[in-house]
């Protein structure tokens, strides 16, 4: 039969803290507490059969070596004795059961104090939030000096703390508290407007409930909740990207408008390694957009061939090399896009939409606008953009659309929009097939987009 110490060590190594440092001092201190609890019970022989069960107080610990003071022991001892006294008038079987439950409760009392008030989150498989925030989250709030915090009720404080913790992912220092009697609101500001972490919260002065919320934060990648991180490999894999990309940056935005009851939380995770990148956006806990650089074996060859042909016709350079291919799947907009980047700053973007298809080819070189030093010069520049000759534009793009799309631009009419200088649209009467052209004031075309819409 194994020695009790050996059995205890074997059991604790199975628990969720098996990866924690396991030292002789750690073991000695926990075993010492176990022995003290045992000595406090008059029916020691009966209880000894369950020694292994209740000695598992060490299994739920984050660091048992924090238990070093006699105060914790005295608190535990009193709790055990109180439990025993409360069971004196019942049968011995029931008494034993209650004593055991009392031991478990008392042991948990030691655990809460000794373990820094932490619990294990079995669903996520990681250490949960501090227990003190679970029981009394308002105590986690941080206030700047000289604030009139008396106007905040306990319910308001709790709602603020829980909203910051659960939605924003961190507690921010409260920097402003203000009452608006006319609207019946309490305004709370946390952080500074110029900082990455900032929150504005409006509460109902009577009920203490949230009325509006606007918050943002930048989180350390290792602080992102596990429910997001565990999705990353499969989400990247689903679009053909590299599933092993590492988190690099996390940004979070939280909004709740007047009349809404639950804040909307958007979390953006940027990922990368030495050669590839990715980005995932969640709304609440649901991924709504996934972007990632495509693995070589996942690049769609037909789309790549069309992109190369388009770039050659558009740029007059038939041998441009592919530098990078990526894909973005956006469930919110219903779009699935493949992006091809070529040398000399040319790119093609092919997008399948919920109501059709869009093909874009562009010259990404920075041509900029001419130096403008006065309102008169700006007005003259805008006038030139608005009056670029239609025949010049047709001459620029007709060969391109003929080669790539096999269409005759003569079937399309030009439409100008004074609100979109430097952009014109070619439409057919049916308005289901559209070319949009971006150009400079000298008539040079820098982007052509064809959108084919399906009839509904």
């Amino acid at each position: 039969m194994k020695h009790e110490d050996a059995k205890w060590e074997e059991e604790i190594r199975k628990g969720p803290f098996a990866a924690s440092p396991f030292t002789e001092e750690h073991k000695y201190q926990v075993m010492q507490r176990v022995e003290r609890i045992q000595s406090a019970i008059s029916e020691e022989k009966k209880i000894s059969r369950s020694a292994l069960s209740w000695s598992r107080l060490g299994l739920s610990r984050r660091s048992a070596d924090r238990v070093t003071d006699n105060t914790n022991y005295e608190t535990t001892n009193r709790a055990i004795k109180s439990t025993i006294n409360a069971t004196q008038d019942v049968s011995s079987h029931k008494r034993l059961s209650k004593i055991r439950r009392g031991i478990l409760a008392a042991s948990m009392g030691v655990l809460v104090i000794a373990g820094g008030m932490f619990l294990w989150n079995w669903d996520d498989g990681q250490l949960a939030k501090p227990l003190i925030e679970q029981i009394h989250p308002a105590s986690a709030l941080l206030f700047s000096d000289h604030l009139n915090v008396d106007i905040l009720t306990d319910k308001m404080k709790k709602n603020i703390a829980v909203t910051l913790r659960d939605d924003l992912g961190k507690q921010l220092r409260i920097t402003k508290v203000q009452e608006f009697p006319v609207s019946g609101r309490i305004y709370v500001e946390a952080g500074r407007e110029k900082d990455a972490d900032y929150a504005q919260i409006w509460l109902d002065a009577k009920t203490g409930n949230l009325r509006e919320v606007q918050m943002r934060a930048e989180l350390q990648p290792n602080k992102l909740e596990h429910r997001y991180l565990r999705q990353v490999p499969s989400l990247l894999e689903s679009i053909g990207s590299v599933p092993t990309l590492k988190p690099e940056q996390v940004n979070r935005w939280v909004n709740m408008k007047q009349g809404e009851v639950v804040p909307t939380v958007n979390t953006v995770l940027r990922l990368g390694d030495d050669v590839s990148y990715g980005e995932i956006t969640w709304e609440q806990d649901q991924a709504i957009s996934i972007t990632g650089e495509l693995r070589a074996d996942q690049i769609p060859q037909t789309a790549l061939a069309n992109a190369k042909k388009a770039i050659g016709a558009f740029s007059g350079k038939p041998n441009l090399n592919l530098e990078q291919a990526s894909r973005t799947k956006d469930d919110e907009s219903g779009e699935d896009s493949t992006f091809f980047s070529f040398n000399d700053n040319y790119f093609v973007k092919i997008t399948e939409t919920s109501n059709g298809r869009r093909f874009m080819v562009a010259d990404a070189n920075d041509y900029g606008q001419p130096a403008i030093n006065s309102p008169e010069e700006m007005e003259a520049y805008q006038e030139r953009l608005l009056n670029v000759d239609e025949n010049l534009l047709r001459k620029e793009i007709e060969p391109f659309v003929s080669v790539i799309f096999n269409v005759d631009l003569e079937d399309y009419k030009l439409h100008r929009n004074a609100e979109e200088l430097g952009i014109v649209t070619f439409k057919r009467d049916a308005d289901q097939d559209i070319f949009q052209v971006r150009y400079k004031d000298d008539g040079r075309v820098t982007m052509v987009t064809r959108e084919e819409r399906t009839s509904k």
Side-chain angles (χ1 to χ4, degrees):
M1 183 175 180
K2 291 186 177 181
H3 189 275
E4 284 296 317
D5 285 4
K7 290 171 62 179
W8 179 85
E9 181 174 335
E10 180 180 321
E11 286 299 317
I12 198 170
R13 286 186 183 279
K14 296 178 183 178
F17 300 106
S20 300
F22 190 88
T23 65
E24 284 302 317
E25 182 183 2
H26 176 170
K27 186 171 89 172
Y28 171 77
Q29 290 173 346
V30 175
M31 290 303 294
Q32 187 179 52
R33 290 290 172 258
V34 172
E35 290 172 3
R36 288 177 178 174
I37 293 173
Q38 285 179 311
S39 65
I41 302 172
S42 60
E43 297 185 39
E44 185 177 52
K45 292 183 180 180
K46 294 180 181 179
I47 302 304
S48 62
R49 295 179 180 177
S50 62
L52 182 60
S53 298
W54 56 261
S55 69
R56 286 181 181 175
L57 67 93
L59 290 178
S60 300
R61 305 181 53 114
R62 184 61 172 174
S63 66
D65 55 348
R66 295 180 186 173
V67 187
T68 57
D69 62 289
N70 292 328
T71 302
N72 294 346
Y73 163 66
E74 292 299 333
T75 301
T76 304
N77 203 13
R78 285 196 300 271
I80 295 171
K81 290 180 180 179
S82 176
T83 304
I84 295 173
N85 293 335
T87 63
Q88 288 179 347
D89 296 329
V90 297
S91 66
S92 59
H93 177 74
K94 291 183 178 180
R95 183 174 64 225
L96 181 57
S97 297
K98 288 189 176 182
I99 289 172
R100 287 172 176 169
R101 288 197 296 271
I103 292 169
L104 178 60
S107 299
M108 284 303 297
V110 174
L111 170 61
V112 168
I113 297 170
M117 288 189 151
F118 281 93
L119 291 178
W120 188 262
N121 186 334
W122 294 102
D123 292 332
D124 279 355
Q126 64 180 12
L127 197 64
K129 302 177 183 71
L131 182 60
I132 187 62
E133 291 191 32
Q134 302 274 357
I135 298 172
H136 190 55
S139 66
L141 283 179
L142 305 173
F143 293 96
S144 296
D145 295 334
H146 311 300
L147 291 182
N148 182 19
V149 298
D150 292 340
I151 63 177
L152 297 178
T153 65
D154 287 343
K155 183 176 181 180
M156 291 177 184
K157 292 178 182 178
K158 180 177 180 180
N159 282 338
I160 295 167
V162 170
T163 301
L164 288 169
R165 182 194 69 196
D166 292 352
D167 296 332
L168 198 62
K170 61 170 68 176
Q171 297 288 354
L172 305 182
R173 183 175 296 277
I174 307 300
T175 54
K176 186 175 184 180
V177 178
Q178 187 173 355
E179 184 175 10
F180 293 94
V182 175
S183 63
R185 291 185 174 195
I186 302 294
Y187 172 72
V188 176
E189 188 173 334
R192 301 294 179 186
E193 188 173 3
K194 63 180 181 180
D195 296 338
D197 298 341
Y198 182 62
Q200 295 176 294
I201 300 174
W202 292 263
L203 305 111
D204 190 290
K206 291 183 178 180
T207 65
N209 295 332
L210 298 179
R211 293 276 292 271
E212 290 187 55
V213 172
Q214 292 182 8
M215 306 191 295
R216 66 174 184 264
E218 183 174 319
L219 308 177
Q220 293 297 319
N222 61 355
K223 298 297 183 181
L224 182 62
E225 296 86 348
H226 183 60
R227 65 180 183 271
Y228 296 105
L229 289 174
R230 66 187 177 192
Q231 300 178 43
V232 170
S234 60
L235 290 175
L236 292 173
E237 184 75 36
S238 71
I239 63 168
S241 188
V242 181
T244 56
L245 295 179
K246 301 301 181 184
E248 293 184 336
Q249 183 179 346
V250 182
N251 290 96
R252 181 165 288 168
W253 292 268
V254 182
N255 289 281
M256 188 179 85
K257 298 178 181 178
Q258 176 70 29
E260 297 177 343
V261 295
V262 178
T264 298
V265 182
N266 287 94
T267 303
V268 178
L269 170 64
R270 294 172 182 83
L271 309 109
D273 58 21
D274 292 339
V275 295
S276 301
Y277 74 93
E279 182 175 295
I280 302 173
T281 300
W282 288 270
E283 185 171 295
Q284 310 302 65
D285 295 345
Q286 181 69 37
I288 60 173
S289 178
I290 313 163
T291 296
E293 190 167 349
L294 293 173
R295 304 194 305 270
D297 62 340
Q298 294 295 314
I299 297 176
Q301 295 303 309
T302 300
L304 177 58
N306 290 337
K308 287 183 175 180
K309 184 179 179 181
I311 284 292
F314 180 72
S315 67
K317 304 175 182 179
N319 298 316
L320 294 179
N321 295 321
L322 177 68
E323 292 187 336
Q324 179 263 326
S326 63
R327 180 184 175 191
T328 297
K329 188 174 184 295
D330 192 323
D331 293 338
E332 189 173 35
S333 65
E335 297 186 350
D336 192 341
S337 302
T338 305
F339 181 91
F340 299 100
S341 175
F342 297 86
N343 64 308
D344 289 354
N345 294 320
Y346 289 92
F347 71 85
V348 171
K349 186 178 182 180
I350 304 171
T351 303
E352 300 294 335
T353 72
S354 57
N355 61 351
R357 185 172 185 265
R358 187 164 59 248
F359 190 102
M360 175 191 297
V361 58
D363 177 356
N365 290 288
D366 183 17
Y367 292 110
Q369 68 180 31
I372 296 175
N373 301 309
S374 67
E376 292 76 18
E377 290 182 4
M378 173 59 75
E379 185 177 351
Y381 172 70
Q382 293 174 344
E383 189 72 18
R384 291 197 303 273
L385 284 175
L386 190 60
N387 294 313
V388 166
D389 185 66
E390 176 180 345
N391 291 328
L392 176 59
L393 292 175
R394 286 183 178 274
K395 182 179 178 181
E396 286 282 325
I397 68 170
E398 276 180 344
F400 168 72
V401 298
S402 176
V403 170
I404 301 305
F405 303 112
N406 194 28
V407 299
D408 187 349
L409 204 60
E410 291 297 328
D411 298 333
Y412 296 76
K413 294 181 180 179
L414 182 142
H415 297 265
R416 298 181 189 269
N417 185 346
E419 301 298 322
E420 293 183 308
L421 296 176
I423 296 177
V424 295
T425 301
F426 290 89
K427 296 181 181 179
R428 288 192 297 193
D429 293 337
D431 199 28
Q432 297 298 315
D433 192 0
I434 301 171
F435 285 94
Q436 192 175 67
V437 178
R438 189 181 69 194
Y439 61 92
K440 308 304 294 183
D441 60 328
D442 60 0
R444 182 170 61 252
V445 173
T446 61
M447 184 179 74
V448 177
T449 301
R450 187 194 191 190
E451 186 168 351
E452 300 173 275
R453 301 174 184 173
T454 56
S455 300
K456 293 186 179 181

